[in-house]
């Protein structure tokens, strides 16, 4: 009954949008998982922004549209501040750097794209770079989790077999 109650409580809590947002923000503060989530969201943002700019959408409108697609509230707030700074006349790379909305590699690539006049192409390259980094992290994670899973499954099977053997040997000790 307690397990069912906990499952129902968890389902109710996860149905609340503001709570899900808080949980997402909290996961970004975790040591390994946080970087992974932020890179994935940054890749999504860079890909959307690059695509919009390639299709002749104005920079301000593209920033607004691409920031709406973000699922992390903290990153969304930073990107809205970037949008305000760009409206005020700051360059995109400087606004991203001032608001700490991107990694150092992202700042440098966007700055180079602005200077070369190839911002859409550079944003797409940044998105590919961040996606590849995410895939590499996933592979490393799976390489680590595979031996751990084998050990856990082996331990569970060992406990079951030990229980069966103890049950069989205790049958011989019963007196009629």
């Amino acid at each position: 009954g307690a397990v069912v109650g906990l499952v129902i409580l968890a389902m109710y809590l996860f149905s609340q949008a503001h709570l899900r947002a808080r949980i997402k923000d909290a996961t970004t503060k975790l040591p390994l998982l946080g970087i992974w989530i932020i890179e994935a969201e940054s890749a999504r943002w860079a890909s959307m922004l690059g695509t919009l700019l390639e299709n002749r959408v104005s920079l301000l409108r593209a920033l607004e549209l691409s920031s709406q697609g973000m699922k992390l509230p903290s990153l969304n707030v930073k990107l809205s501040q970037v949008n305000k700074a760009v409206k005020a006349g700051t360059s995109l790379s400087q606004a991203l750097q001032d608001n700490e909305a991107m990694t150092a590699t992202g700042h440098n690539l966007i700055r180079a794209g602005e200077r070369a006049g190839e911002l859409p192409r550079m944003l797409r390259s940044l998105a590919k770079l961040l996606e590849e980094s995410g895939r590499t992290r996933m592979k490393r994670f799976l390489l680590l989790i595979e031996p751990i899973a084998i050990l856990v499954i082996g331990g569970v099977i060992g406990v079951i077999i030990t229980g069966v053997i103890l049950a069989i040997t205790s049958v011989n000790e019963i007196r009629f």
Side-chain angles (χ1 to χ4, degrees), residues 89-90 101 118 137 161-162:
T90 308
E118 293 288 332
R137 285 181 197 275
I161 290 174
T162 303

Side-chain angles (χ1 to χ4, degrees), residues 39-40 43-44 47 126-136:
E39 280 185 353
R44 182 179 298 122
S47 178
L126 175 62
K128 287 179 185 177
L129 179 73
L130 292 173
E131 287 170 358
E132 186 61 36
S133 175
R135 280 191 210 105
T136 303

Side-chain angles (χ1 to χ4, degrees), residues 113-124:
E114 285 176 337
R115 289 182 182 164
E118 293 288 332
L119 185 59
R121 193 168 62 107
M122 198 59 75
L123 284 166
R124 301 286 293 193

Side-chain angles (χ1 to χ4, degrees), residues 2 24 32 40 50 52-53 55 58 66 75 82 84 92 123 125 131 144 146 168-169:
K24 286 177 186 176
L32 296 174
L52 289 167
L53 291 175
N55 291 305
S58 69
S66 61
L75 187 60
V82 166
K84 289 176 186 175
L92 177 61
L123 284 166
S125 297
E131 287 170 358
L144 286 174
E146 185 178 354
I168 291 172
T169 57

